[in-house]
Amino acid sequence: MSTTIKKRDPSIDILKFLAAFFITNSHMEQLYPPPFTALSTGGAIGDVLFFFCSGYTLFLGKQMDFPNWYKRRINRIYPTVFMWALVSAALFSSNANMVDIVLHGGGWFVTCIMIYYVLLWVIRKYFINRLYSVFAVVTIVVLVWYLFFFDSSIIYMYKNTYFKWCHYFLFMLLGSMLGLKWKEHNSSISQKLKPLPTLIKLFACVLFFYGLQIAGVKWTWVAHLQIITLIPLLGITYYLYELCNTDCVLGFYAKKWPHRIIYWIGALCLEIYLCQRSIFTGAMNSIFPLNVLIMFILVCLFAYVIKILSNWFSQTFRSEPYDWKSMVKL
């Protein structure tokens, strides 16, 4: 997506890589044999990182009317959704109709983010100078939903529930606020950050986030308090962002091969999300944990093929000749 600023924030590339990794790992249950099954986790963290990155970059682009702004979002997402639907039908016996593909072809994640895009345009148009107030209002909506409309007996509120469609918007707003802050300074904040204090805070948030959920499985009354996990999850998101802006992490990312791998995987975050479940197989579990690495590489390669096909699909409906070189670029 083109932006109105010249510099690119490399920390977002790293966060997208982490989002792809955590989301994929959380879906790898069949690849982790007992007693390592619990290691297949991190989905909520991956989801919020993706929403955070989307909110972060959306406000950096130029302002435009809603139809053209939303068209750009559709052109980014739906060529991939359509090509994945075609590949799924050809290789994985999917029989979804066009309505299902448009509304649900990318899973809950794509449907949710397309709704968020509408809200973000309104907020950017009318409330861009009141983002903290908007964040407060959304927080109140989340609390009201949880207290009066959510079945708190559900142990894990980050799974199959529409409630997450509400509270995940907080993370998109957090990304928007930090993205605007970065745009204002037009530079990284790495000079102000030290990795060790950030790591300590991040670790504390991770312990709080998972500790409360584990306790909720054992004690029902704790499960009723799971809304509190949003606090450490916001902390995890923020401190990962800070960590990715430290000089040591940015220096590692600047190296040739780490940069290529991290950028490549981060750029395929959407495609990886769409295709991963169809690729996984437990056939190589005998070589655990090597099977996890092999499966992740296969998913990334398949996602790259989907990306190329989506670029071809997108260019097919333009009047210009095919740009074959750009078709294979990320």
Side-chain angles (χ1 to χ4, degrees), residues 27 117 129 131 250:
H27 295 152
Y117 286 152
N129 295 320
L131 288 183
L250 292 176

Side-chain angles (χ1 to χ4, degrees), residues 118-146:
V118 177
L119 299 176
L120 259 293
W121 183 87
V122 173
I123 291 170
R124 183 182 182 185
K125 177 72 173 179
Y126 299 105
F127 304 102
I128 194 168
N129 295 320
R130 299 182 178 87
L131 288 183
Y132 288 98
S133 298
V134 173
F135 190 91
V137 170
V138 175
T139 300
I140 293 172
V141 172
V142 169
L143 290 173
V144 170
W145 187 330
Y146 184 79

Side-chain angles (χ1 to χ4, degrees), residues 42-43 45 181 279:
I45 296 174
K181 183 178 179 181
I279 307 300

Side-chain angles (χ1 to χ4, degrees), residues 49-274:
L49 288 179
F50 188 85
F51 285 126
F52 174 89
C53 292
S54 296
Y56 193 98
T57 56
L58 279 177
F59 279 16
L60 300 184
K62 61 181 180 180
Q63 182 70 37
M64 61 181 67
D65 61 275
F66 176 76
N68 285 298
W69 190 83
Y70 204 67
K71 175 186 174 183
R72 291 173 66 89
R73 313 284 78 77
I74 294 173
N75 287 339
R76 167 62 186 96
I77 290 180
Y78 271 92
T80 298
V81 171
F82 289 145
M83 292 313 299
W84 170 239
L86 181 62
V87 171
S88 296
L91 300 181
F92 303 109
S93 302
S94 172
N95 58 358
N97 60 42
M98 184 55 70
V99 174
D100 287 336
I101 291 170
V102 172
L103 296 180
H104 312 294
W108 76 269
F109 193 87
V110 170
T111 309
C112 182
I113 204 167
M114 294 306 294
I115 296 172
Y116 284 178
Y117 286 152
V118 177
L119 299 176
L120 259 293
W121 183 87
V122 173
I123 291 170
R124 183 182 182 185
K125 177 72 173 179
Y126 299 105
F127 304 102
I128 194 168
N129 295 320
R130 299 182 178 87
L131 288 183
Y132 288 98
S133 298
V134 173
F135 190 91
V137 170
V138 175
T139 300
I140 293 172
V141 172
V142 169
L143 290 173
V144 170
W145 187 330
Y146 184 79
L147 293 174
F148 298 102
F149 302 102
F150 178 69
D151 182 3
S152 59
S153 64
I154 299 175
I155 300 300
Y156 195 60
M157 69 183 192
Y158 301 98
K159 285 194 177 292
N160 298 324
T161 166
Y162 280 108
F163 179 54
K164 65 183 179 183
W165 292 40
C166 177
H167 64 68
Y168 276 163
F169 193 58
L170 290 170
F171 298 87
M172 210 165 190
L173 285 174
L174 177 63
S176 299
M177 290 187 288
L178 292 176
L180 285 176
K181 183 178 179 181
W182 182 85
K183 179 182 178 180
E184 180 183 343
H185 295 289
N186 199 21
S187 62
S188 172
I189 59 174
S190 61
Q191 294 180 350
K192 304 175 183 178
L193 301 173
K194 302 298 181 183
L196 184 57
T198 302
L199 274 173
I200 294 173
K201 296 172 187 176
L202 175 61
F203 183 68
C205 288
V206 171
L207 284 180
F208 187 13
F209 178 68
Y210 282 106
L212 191 59
Q213 293 176 66
I214 293 171
V217 174
K218 187 174 182 180
W219 297 294
T220 303
W221 69 270
V222 178
H224 294 320
L225 302 176
Q226 61 180 306
I227 186 66
I228 299 175
T229 59
L230 287 175
I231 297 174
L233 190 56
L234 284 164
I236 291 171
T237 306
Y238 179 77
Y239 291 123
L240 277 174
Y241 169 71
E242 276 201 347
L243 186 65
C244 291
N245 270 290
T246 57
D247 288 333
C248 59
V249 174
L250 292 176
F252 176 76
Y253 179 61
K255 297 181 184 297
K256 181 178 179 179
W257 282 107
H259 174 81
R260 288 183 176 181
I261 294 172
I262 293 172
Y263 178 81
W264 189 68
I265 293 175
L268 291 172
C269 192
L270 173 63
E271 290 75 16
I272 288 172
Y273 170 79
L274 291 179

